[in-house]
Amino acid sequence: MLGINVIYELKPGQRQDFLDCLEAAGIRAAVLAEPGCLKYDFYCSVDNPDELLLVEKWTDREVQAIHLKQPHMNGLRELKDRFVADSTVELFDL
């Protein structure tokens, strides 16, 4: 299994707007419907109102690579351009 943590540093005051737009676009639901996706959840930092953690779990690296090419990922990239100042990705085998 593959685990991924993505730490988003949102532009000031934009965290909830980012989450709302993700939901409105159906991106999380689309990802969860993909074969091999076991988890795709967002968590808010208690201490930093502009930080958001995305925790992903995939059956393997191959299905996650296919995930990155899905049409709804273009929508995510557009939202990231609009709301995200920086991000860090951590990959690990489970």
Side-chain angles (χ1 to χ4, degrees):
M1 271 193 284
L2 173 66
I4 303 173
N5 288 343
V6 181
I7 303 165
Y8 291 115
E9 184 66 32
L10 283 296
K11 295 174 183 175
Q14 297 294 300
R15 184 172 71 185
Q16 192 58 53
D17 290 339
F18 179 62
L19 288 169
D20 291 345
C21 286
L22 285 171
E23 183 68 25
I27 292 171
R28 181 174 176 273
V31 173
L32 286 169
E34 291 180 44
C37 181
L38 304 172
K39 182 180 188 78
Y40 196 86
D41 289 320
F42 291 90
Y43 299 90
C44 295
S45 170
V46 173
D47 297 324
N48 182 348
D50 297 321
E51 186 177 274
L52 186 64
L53 171 65
L54 168 59
V55 176
E56 300 180 47
K57 189 188 297 184
W58 296 88
T59 54
D60 56 62
R61 290 178 185 267
E62 290 77 20
V63 296
Q64 198 276 332
I66 293 167
H67 152 73
L68 295 175
K69 299 174 184 172
Q70 298 305 305
H72 49 268
M73 294 306 292
N74 291 331
L76 176 59
R77 284 186 268 285
E78 290 172 8
L79 292 175
K80 285 171 59 177
D81 287 345
R82 185 170 155 198
F83 293 107
V84 177
D86 195 22
S87 62
T88 304
V89 178
E90 303 168 334
L91 298 151
F92 49 94
D93 292 313
L94 300 173

